Amino acid sequence: RPDNTPPLKIKRGRQDLELRLVQNPDILKDIRGSKNKQVVVGFAAETHDMEAEARRKMADKGLDFIVANDVTRRDAGFAVDTNEVTVIHRDGRLERLPLLPKEQVAEKILDLVVELLP
């Protein structure tokens, strides 16, 4: 997110514009300590080493499972209505979903959450 936001619109004509960014809080990591009978799911939109990066994030944030996808694909991820994801479970099990409409991907993710509810 921007480090600071100007109070007024920045008018055209300024030669040099510089945008300083700061990291947002890590909400998933923050709720890990307060986890109480809830299922915590993360998402990893990756451009390389998708599985390794997703596994790292899952371990770092203490997730029940993580949904990873390769956002470099033209038929999946951003700006399209389909996605192909890999669900990585805490026990290391992989569940690869085929290319599906995003609504069906969401339904599958919710089914997995329900399976983990007490």
Side-chain angles (χ1 to χ4, degrees):
R1 65 182 163 83
D3 185 25
N4 64 31
T5 306
L8 302 173
K9 176 182 173 183
I10 299 172
K11 295 290 189 179
R12 185 181 304 251
R14 291 185 59 187
Q15 292 296 324
D16 297 325
L17 295 176
E18 186 174 304
L19 178 63
R20 180 172 151 72
L21 301 175
V22 295
Q23 289 189 12
N24 279 323
D26 191 337
I27 297 169
L28 278 178
K29 203 169 189 176
D30 291 345
I31 66 169
R32 174 177 60 192
S34 66
K35 186 176 174 184
N36 184 19
K37 296 183 181 179
Q38 60 192 3
V39 177
V40 182
V41 179
F43 295 85
E46 301 296 337
T47 59
H48 66 283
D49 298 330
M50 180 189 75
E51 187 178 327
E53 282 299 308
R55 286 184 186 278
R56 180 191 60 74
K57 287 179 182 180
M58 183 173 62
D60 183 49
K61 297 172 190 308
L63 305 174
D64 292 297
F65 66 87
I66 192 163
V67 181
N69 66 310
D70 177 352
V71 295
T72 63
R73 293 182 47 167
R74 291 182 177 210
D75 61 346
F78 301 126
V80 293
D81 294 331
T82 55
N83 210 348
E84 183 173 345
V85 303
T86 299
V87 178
I88 304 174
H89 297 265
R90 184 184 291 180
D91 63 8
R93 183 170 37 104
L94 290 179
E95 193 169 343
R96 299 185 197 283
L97 299 182
L99 187 66
L100 296 168
K102 287 183 178 177
E103 184 175 312
Q104 288 181 16
V105 173
E107 289 171 0
K108 178 60 178 169
I109 293 167
L110 289 174
D111 289 344
L112 293 171
V113 168
V114 168
E115 289 176 16
L116 294 177
L117 290 173

